[in-house]
Amino acid sequence: LLPHVPTVFRQVGVDLVTGEFFLNAAFTLYRALSGFAIAAVVAVTIAIAMYRYRIVNWFFDPILSIGFPMPKVAFLPVFMLWLGAYDASKITLIAFASFFAIAVNTVAGTQGVDRFLIWSARSLGASEPKILRTVILPAAMPQILTGFQIAIPLAMIVTIVAEMLMGGIGLGGSMIRAQRFADSPGMFASLLEIGFTGFLVIFSMRWVRRQLLTWHEEAKH
């Protein structure tokens, strides 16, 4: 039941040579990044609207407070019932799980902008859209990117869980197929492949953060 380490790495090598790893990783990344991208656009838009309009903040603040700590995977049966057992339900669940981390951090970032910066821009005649574009968003960007860094591993976790529960092509589906056939080397090989793919995604997000914050104080450290 506990395979030898060389056997596991040999199975990883087989998956690489046959291309099975690349196929599974491509489907997993497609689902995770699609859901993450949808969540990022919707969450940032709603969070900025919450900052600018009191009625929007009144409506969404309790939703964020209640939804953020909830286990999002529990909604999988609901999305399967509504959208079926294919990619639509998986991507919707991933977007739903990623939304709250991004929205909460974006709200915190926009509300934490120094008011003197906004007042100074207004005194110089800047319009509200220009203040949003040149003052609020740059000042809140570190916090927004922190939300992205929290959401991207969540997206990967939810993707793997959804694939394990619903099947199909993907790293999670590959692992559950190995489990069904008592393929212990295949299970541990899938674990390594999931860990490697997750590391690449998280490392890429860190690189994007460094590139977007070259002007920020944290880039000097």
Side-chain angles (χ1 to χ4, degrees):
L1 295 178
L2 189 63
H4 296 292
V5 174
T7 305
V8 174
F9 280 100
R10 193 178 305 116
Q11 182 61 48
V12 173
V14 171
D15 292 342
L16 290 172
V17 171
T18 60
E20 183 174 351
F21 164 71
F22 298 104
L23 178 64
N24 289 327
F27 273 87
T28 297
L29 289 175
Y30 157 70
R31 294 171 184 134
L33 296 180
S34 297
F36 171 80
I38 294 170
V41 172
V42 175
V44 171
T45 302
I46 290 177
I48 292 173
M50 290 174 64
Y51 171 78
R52 296 195 62 182
Y53 304 107
R54 185 173 299 178
I55 186 66
V56 178
N57 183 73
W58 171 85
F59 180 79
F60 280 103
D61 185 64
I63 295 176
L64 294 181
S65 300
I66 295 172
F68 185 57
M70 291 181 65
K72 314 305 184 297
V73 179
F75 287 85
L76 180 59
V78 177
F79 292 128
M80 288 180 64
L81 180 64
W82 289 350
L83 302 173
Y86 300 100
D87 280 355
S89 57
K90 295 175 184 175
I91 293 173
T92 303
L93 178 65
I94 295 160
F96 180 72
S98 304
F99 167 83
F100 292 93
I102 299 173
V104 167
N105 279 274
T106 303
V107 169
T110 53
Q111 292 179 348
V113 176
D114 189 347
R115 292 296 183 269
F116 288 102
L117 294 175
I118 300 174
W119 294 340
S120 299
R122 284 174 181 163
S123 68
L124 293 172
S127 63
E128 290 300 322
K130 189 170 184 179
I131 292 174
L132 176 64
R133 187 174 62 255
T134 60
V135 177
I136 296 174
L137 283 179
M141 187 59 68
Q143 193 75 23
I144 296 173
L145 291 175
T146 298
F148 286 0
Q149 287 184 286
I150 295 172
I152 197 71
L154 282 175
M156 286 295 298
I157 292 169
V158 173
T159 303
I160 297 299
V161 172
E163 290 176 348
M164 292 177 68
L165 293 176
M166 299 170 65
I169 301 174
L171 294 173
S174 174
M175 184 175 182
I176 204 66
R177 283 194 301 272
Q179 179 264 329
R180 287 170 180 167
F181 289 97
D183 179 10
S184 188
M187 286 178 56
F188 282 90
S190 296
L191 278 175
L192 289 177
E193 292 165 5
I194 290 170
F196 176 71
T197 305
F199 169 78
L200 287 181
V201 171
I202 294 172
F203 181 82
S204 299
M205 190 66 240
R206 290 178 181 173
W207 180 84
V208 169
R209 182 189 181 99
R210 287 197 300 268
Q211 299 306 308
L212 292 177
L213 296 180
T214 53
W215 54 272
H216 196 266
E217 184 69 23
E218 72 175 56
K220 300 177 182 178
H221 301 290

